Amino acid sequence: MCTLAHVFEAAGLTTVVLASMREVAERMAPPRALYCEFPLGRPLGRPDDVALQRDVLGRALALLDASETVLDTYPLVIESDETPLACAIPPRFDATLPAAVDEAQGLRAAYERSLEARSVTAVGRAIGADQVTDALGVLHQWAQGASWKENPLPGKITVAVCHDIRTYYTEAALQLATGPAPGARSVEAWFYEQTEAGKTMQAAREAIRDQGAPFPFWFYMAPGHR
Amino acid sequence: MRAYSAQQPVPQFDSPAFTPLGKPLPEARVAIVTSAALHRPDQDRFAPADTSFRALDRADRDLVLGHWSPNFDHSGFQLDLNVVYPIDRLEELVAEGVIGDVAPRHFAFAGNQPETVSEVRLDTGPACAAELLADGVDVVVLTPV
C-alpha cells in the first residue's frame, strides 16, 4: 500500500493510506497515513459499524489538509476476539463416514443459504463446494498416515484447497450464528478448535510435514500461529 | 503478524513525491485502491504473488476476497465489504457533499508481493495510476488487509 502511495503521488495523484502496520508505515513514509490498530483484515474497524467506518474515513480524509508528510494514529484500538464463535455443529448423521466428511455434508444447507443471501462465494480457488467432502476425505487419510504423494488431493494445491474448505465453513457458520457480528479470529477459532474439518486439516498438515512435504505445501494450510 | 512484518525489509524511496490536493475536497473525485485482492467472480483470480490488478466498477458489490494469506480475518469482509472496501461510505460522503464524486472504477492488487515490489513500482503501479488519472480521479484512499 505504501509502495502504491509513492507511485501514485509521483504520477500526480493525492493519496492517503489506512496503515495496518505502524513500523512499515514509519519506514516507508507514504505522504499521508492513518495508522489503525485494528485486527488484520478489518482496516475500517468493524463490519456493520457505519459510525466507526465513517469516522475512520473522515480522519483519513482530514489528512489531505497536511502540507507535509504525516503519519497519524487512530485513537481507538480494537483487539481480536479469539473466543470461538457460538455456532452449533451438525450432529453426526452417517457414522460410516469420517467425522469431518459427515460434518461438511451437514453444513451444506447453510452454505447454500449463504450463497443465496450474498450471491457470491469465495469458495472455488481450487475446488467447488461439491468437492469439499472428497477433499476432507483425503485429508482424513493423510491424517491417518496415508502417503500424501500416493493419495492426491482434489484441487491439488493444498493451500488453496484448505482455503476453500475453511471458507465453505466460514460462510456456513455466518448463516448459522446469531447475535452481533463476530470479532476477528472468532470464526477462525471456531473452525480450528471446534470443527472436525479444522482438526482434520491440522492433523493432515502435521502428517505431511512429518512425511517431508515441502514447507510451502503444508505450512500455509493454516495460520502460522497454529 | 505485526511483529513479523515489523522486521521485514521494505523498499526505500529516496525523494518521494508529495502531491497536494489542488482543489477543495467537496470538488474532488475519490477512488479506493486496495491490496485485498478483490475481484468479481467473472474476473481472473489472483495467483500467489500476482503483480497485476483488477478494475472494480463503482456499482460492484458481489466481490471475492482473493488474498492468499491464511493469517488474517476474512469473516469481517464476508459480513460487510465496507470493512475492507468502504465503497458505501464514499457514496454517503458524496450525498452529503463532503467529497465531490466517487470514481467510476476502483482497483485491487494482491498484498502478498515479493519484497522488492519492483513490478508494482515500475510496471503495474504506474499503469494503475494512468487508469485513475484517465477517470479524472483526484484522491486515492489505499486500504490494506
Side-chain angles (χ1 to χ4, degrees):
Chain A
M1 284 290 85
C2 296
T3 297
L4 282 173
H6 286 302
V7 170
F8 289 171
E9 295 271 337
L13 292 155
T14 305
T15 66
V16 59
V17 175
L18 292 182
S20 55
M21 310 272 187
R22 181 198 286 281
E23 290 85 353
V24 172
E26 284 173 352
R27 285 189 288 158
M28 292 196 63
R32 302 161 207 85
L34 178 65
Y35 171 66
C36 299
E37 193 167 330
F38 300 155
L40 299 181
R42 301 182 169 199
L44 274 289
R46 279 189 286 259
D48 301 327
D49 189 339
V50 174
L52 176 62
Q53 294 173 5
R54 287 284 299 261
D55 195 53
V56 171
L57 206 50
R59 280 179 181 263
L61 292 173
L63 300 181
L64 296 170
D65 293 332
S67 55
E68 57 186 15
T69 299
V70 55
L71 172 59
D72 196 6
T73 298
Y74 192 76
L76 175 70
V77 172
I78 303 176
E79 302 283 351
S80 286
D81 178 3
E82 304 197 8
T83 311
L85 179 72
C87 176
I89 291 163
R92 206 82 161 88
F93 180 72
D94 182 348
T96 65
L97 295 173
V101 172
D102 197 27
E103 176 188 75
Q105 283 183 354
L107 289 169
R108 183 64 187 256
Y111 169 79
E112 294 295 340
R113 286 204 300 279
S114 168
L115 189 55
E116 194 169 332
R118 298 179 64 234
S119 51
V120 68
T121 176
V123 176
R125 190 170 286 177
I127 59 171
D130 289 340
Q131 293 171 289
V132 164
T133 50
D134 287 348
L136 280 168
V138 173
L139 291 176
H140 172 74
Q141 291 173 21
W142 291 0
Q144 298 293 306
S147 161
W148 68 278
K149 284 186 180 167
E150 290 165 19
N151 296 274
L153 188 64
K156 294 192 180 69
I157 307 164
T158 50
V159 180
V161 172
C162 288
H163 162 273
D164 288 330
I165 294 170
R166 180 178 163 190
T167 301
Y168 171 96
Y169 271 71
T170 300
E171 291 179 2
L174 293 176
Q175 285 296 312
L176 292 169
T178 53
R185 302 225 178 265
S186 177
V187 182
E188 176 194 312
W190 169 79
F191 178 70
Y192 289 105
E193 294 165 22
Q194 299 197 342
T195 73
E196 294 295 333
K199 293 172 196 167
T200 299
M201 193 180 287
Q202 289 175 100
R205 182 181 185 233
E206 288 169 23
I208 71 167
R209 177 196 64 197
D210 294 344
Q211 287 179 27
F215 179 82
F217 285 29
W218 63 265
F219 184 72
Y220 298 107
M221 287 171 67
H225 64 97
R226 291 197 181 265
Chain B
M1 276 303 287
R2 281 197 165 93
Y4 169 80
S5 72
Q7 297 162 10
Q8 293 301 296
V10 295
Q12 302 289 325
F13 291 79
D14 285 341
S15 46
F18 187 97
T19 302
L21 181 58
K23 59 175 75 167
L25 188 57
E27 296 171 19
R29 179 173 285 187
V30 181
I32 303 167
V33 176
T34 181
S35 57
L38 302 185
H39 63 87
R40 288 194 303 268
D42 65 305
Q43 291 173 316
D44 287 344
R45 291 176 176 279
F46 283 87
D50 198 327
T51 58
S52 65
F53 59 84
R54 307 284 176 274
L56 312 173
D57 289 336
R58 177 175 178 170
D60 287 338
R61 294 295 183 277
D62 296 338
L63 298 171
V64 174
L65 194 156
H67 200 295
W68 275 73
S69 170
N71 288 314
F72 66 86
D73 176 63
H74 291 216
S75 68
F77 176 80
Q78 285 163 357
L79 289 160
D80 173 14
L81 87 170
N82 290 286
V83 80
V84 171
Y85 179 65
I87 187 73
D88 294 322
R89 301 294 84 80
L90 284 190
E91 295 287 0
E92 292 160 9
L93 294 177
V94 175
E96 293 164 18
V98 176
I99 63 174
D101 199 5
V102 178
R105 295 183 303 160
H106 305 265
F107 296 89
F109 286 78
N112 40 346
Q113 292 288 329
E115 62 188 46
T116 61
V117 211
S118 54
E119 288 213 26
V120 169
R121 272 193 293 156
L122 303 173
D123 182 16
T124 55
C128 184
E131 302 276 345
L132 290 159
L133 291 166
D135 285 344
V137 169
D138 303 298
V139 173
V140 180
V141 177
L142 292 144
T143 68
V145 284

